[in-house]
Amino acid sequence: MKRILLLIILLLSLNTFSQKNKKFEPGVKIIENQKIEEYKNPKSILFIFKGHTHSINFFLDLKKRIRKIFKKKMKKEFKDFKVNFNYDLNAKKSLKSDLDNIPSKKYNEKEYESICQISISDFKGWDYHLSKKRKQNYNLNIELKDVNSSLLIAFKLNVSSYYTIVTQNKKSGKLIYKTIMEK
């Protein structure tokens, strides 16, 4: 009788504590969002990408997507809107090819109404042996500040992607635009 009871308890605990197979879904979602109440859309933004030099190709693609979505959504107003990008990337042992890809032009922060800092955190990758099916998950941390360094908006995007981290940049760019420019 004790063996049967032990077997039932063991089977119940195995079923209860077993891991569920969660399906990996690529996409972008906002996981944190803070915005001050008196927030007004800026007339100019300087985006500053922060992180490791090896992320330069990711940030260059994200720059292209952000500029494209701003131009598309703003249409005629984009001519009067000022948007530019600085790169604050560093590493102890950077690859020469990465350093060559970093744009050398630096824009003066004082010439912009808002400064938006973007960085990557909590990067996880797995299934690297599967090439096109490899998976990545990371957070994009975005902070929009005014010229006095007062926080206007802070939000975090959780991004899940297949193959490379660049594949979800179009969706990330749209969410960045939507959060900053749409009320």
Side-chain angles (χ1 to χ4, degrees), residues 2-17:
K2 288 183 180 180
R3 289 184 185 173
I4 295 173
L5 185 58
L6 183 61
L7 182 64
I8 291 172
I9 291 173
L10 181 65
L11 289 174
L12 283 172
S13 65
L14 284 175
N15 188 30
T16 304
F17 297 112

Side-chain angles (χ1 to χ4, degrees), residues 22-171:
K22 187 177 176 185
K23 188 174 181 187
F24 183 85
E25 292 287 333
V28 181
K29 60 184 173 188
I30 296 178
I31 55 173
E32 292 178 18
N33 191 358
Q34 300 172 342
K35 189 183 274 191
I36 63 168
E37 287 183 29
E38 55 274 353
Y39 176 75
K40 295 178 193 167
N41 289 352
K43 295 187 181 15
S44 62
I45 300 175
L46 177 64
F47 288 91
I48 301 175
F49 297 116
K50 294 184 166 247
H52 196 281
T53 55
H54 195 59
S55 303
I56 183 60
N57 292 322
F58 167 78
F59 287 129
L60 288 172
D61 185 70
L62 186 59
K63 168 198 165 190
K64 179 177 82 173
R65 304 296 180 165
I66 290 172
R67 184 180 296 281
K68 191 173 186 177
I69 194 70
F70 269 78
K71 192 173 185 177
K72 180 180 177 184
K73 294 284 188 175
M74 295 180 81
K75 294 183 175 128
K76 291 180 183 175
E77 299 92 34
F78 187 74
K79 291 176 185 173
D80 298 327
F81 191 81
K82 192 172 173 184
V83 60
N84 280 309
F85 302 85
N86 278 349
Y87 300 85
D88 185 13
L89 307 174
N90 51 46
K92 288 183 181 177
K93 294 185 177 180
S94 301
L95 297 173
K96 182 171 178 3
S97 61
D98 292 339
L99 293 174
D100 291 343
N101 285 338
I102 297 174
S104 58
K105 186 167 185 175
K106 298 281 184 190
Y107 295 94
N108 187 353
E109 293 180 16
K110 294 177 182 173
E111 296 176 9
Y112 295 85
E113 189 176 313
S114 298
I115 308 298
C116 185
Q117 296 180 350
I118 300 177
S119 63
I120 297 174
S121 66
D122 301 330
F123 184 86
K124 295 178 234 80
W126 55 97
D127 292 340
Y128 285 108
H129 62 283
L130 296 177
S131 185
K132 299 265 185 198
K133 291 290 185 179
R134 66 179 164 221
K135 303 170 191 167
Q136 298 88 29
N137 181 271
Y138 58 93
N139 291 331
L140 263 181
N141 307 307
I142 297 120
E143 289 184 343
L144 185 72
K145 297 179 180 181
D146 63 10
V147 288
N148 301 325
S149 296
S150 300
L151 189 65
L152 302 172
I153 300 175
F155 60 103
K156 192 179 283 191
L157 302 179
N158 183 268
V159 183
S160 298
S161 63
Y162 279 116
Y163 192 49
T164 70
I165 63 174
V166 178
T167 57
Q168 295 297 317
N169 274 354
K170 187 173 184 179
K171 290 179 184 175

